[in-house]
Amino acid sequence: MVLIVGGDSTIGVALSNYWTDNHIPFHASTRNPELVSDQQPFIDLSDPHTFRQITGYESAVLCASVTDMATCENTPKETRAVNVSGTIELIKKLNYSKTHILFLSTNQVFDGEKPHQKPDAPQKPINEYGRQKAEVEVFIKKVLGVCILRLTKVVHPGLTLLRKWKLSLSHGESIFPFSDMTLSPVDIDDVVNKIDILVSQKASGIFQLSGNRDISYLEFARRFARENGYSSDLVKKNTWHGKLAFVPPKYTSLVNV
C-alpha cells in the first residue's frame, strides 16, 4: 500500500486519479476533516501529532507543502513549520517504519545562473522557498532509501495563472507576462508517470524532471494565446522587478534523470 501525503494537492489529485484508473492500491491524506476516511487519513504537516496513525505503508509520496513562493517569502516562520520542520518529522516517522519515501523538491534549490543544472550541482537557493526545500534535501541525504524528485514548473489545465490568462484573453483584454523571468514547463502527466516509476522501483537518490529548455513567461504566454485561438498581440511585455516578493532564478531548467 502506498500513501500520498497531500492528496488534496494538484499533483496528489492527479496521482490519485492515475492510480485509481490503474487499480493500484493507495491512501491519500487530506487536511479537510470532512473528507477523512479509512482511505483518506488526516495528516497536517504543521501538527506532528497527526503522524501517529501512519503505519504499514510500503511507500509514501510527499506532495504536501506550501509551494507559493510569495507566501514563503512573506511568512517564512509559518511556511518553514510545514515545509521544513513538519516534513522532516514526517520523514523520520516514515523512515522508522521502513517506508520507502519519495520527496518532491524543486529547481529552486539552485541559483539559476546556469541552465540544465545537474543533480549533483551545489545547492545555492536565492529565495525562501528554495532554501526550505534545500534544507530538507540536506537532511534526506543522511537517510537511506529516500528518493528526491526535483521538478520545474508543473503545467496543467487548472493552473491559476493559465486560468487568469484565458479569462482575460477571452474578453479581449491584454495580459502582461514577464519577459525577464523563465520557466521550463513540464506536463503534470509526465510528473505522475515519473512518480509512478520511481515508486514501483523503490528508487533512491536524486532524480529530476524538467522541460527541454528555458523560455520566458512572455514566450510561454504568446504560445498559450495562439494555441487557444487568441491573438498574440494581446500579450504585452512586462518585468518582474518591483512586482514580486521573491527573487526568481535566471534559468530554471534541469538535466533530466
Side-chain angles (χ1 to χ4, degrees), residues 150 152 184-186 208-213 252-256:
R150 295 180 183 139
T152 54
S184 184
V186 60
Q208 300 185 153
L209 186 61
S210 168
N212 293 328
R213 66 184 183 95
T252 65
S253 58
L254 304 170
V255 172
N256 284 304

Side-chain angles (χ1 to χ4, degrees), residues 134-168:
E135 190 171 335
V136 177
E137 284 196 13
V138 170
F139 172 78
I140 283 177
K141 290 173 184 177
K142 304 174 185 177
V143 182
L144 295 176
V146 178
C147 177
I148 296 171
L149 175 58
R150 295 180 183 139
L151 303 171
T152 54
K153 184 67 175 181
V154 180
V155 177
H156 55 92
L159 192 65
T160 300
L161 179 63
L162 298 186
R163 292 206 314 267
K164 289 181 177 179
W165 281 354
K166 192 167 187 177
L167 181 62
S168 295

Side-chain angles (χ1 to χ4, degrees), residues 31 59-60 74 150 196 203 224 231 247:
R31 290 181 65 244
S59 295
N74 292 326
R150 295 180 183 139
D196 181 60
F224 176 80
S231 172
V247 178

Side-chain angles (χ1 to χ4, degrees), residues 2-6 9-16 18-19 24 59-64 100-105 147-151 154 187-203 207-209 257:
V2 182
L3 173 66
I4 302 173
V5 180
S9 68
T10 299
I11 294 177
V13 170
L15 186 58
S16 295
Y18 179 84
W19 279 345
I24 296 172
S59 295
V61 182
L62 307 191
C63 299
H100 170 254
I101 302 165
L102 191 157
F103 172 70
L104 296 185
S105 191
C147 177
I148 296 171
L149 175 58
R150 295 180 183 139
L151 303 171
V154 180
D187 190 88
I188 194 167
D189 290 339
D190 294 329
V191 174
V192 167
N193 288 331
K194 185 72 171 182
I195 292 173
D196 181 60
I197 291 170
L198 294 175
V199 169
S200 66
Q201 294 176 345
K202 288 188 169 56
F207 296 83
Q208 300 185 153
L209 186 61
V257 180

Side-chain angles (χ1 to χ4, degrees), residues 153 155-179 181-183 185 215-228 230-231 234-236 238:
K153 184 67 175 181
V155 177
H156 55 92
L159 192 65
T160 300
L161 179 63
L162 298 186
R163 292 206 314 267
K164 289 181 177 179
W165 281 354
K166 192 167 187 177
L167 181 62
S168 295
L169 293 169
S170 68
H171 287 91
E173 299 170 355
S174 296
I175 58 175
F176 301 88
F178 301 139
S179 62
M181 181 174 170
T182 66
L183 73 161
I215 61 174
S216 70
Y217 273 81
L218 178 64
E219 180 183 351
F220 182 65
R222 285 173 174 165
R223 186 174 70 185
F224 176 80
R226 290 193 299 268
E227 290 176 349
N228 286 275
Y230 303 109
S231 172
L234 292 172
V235 182
K236 308 297 184 181
N238 199 357

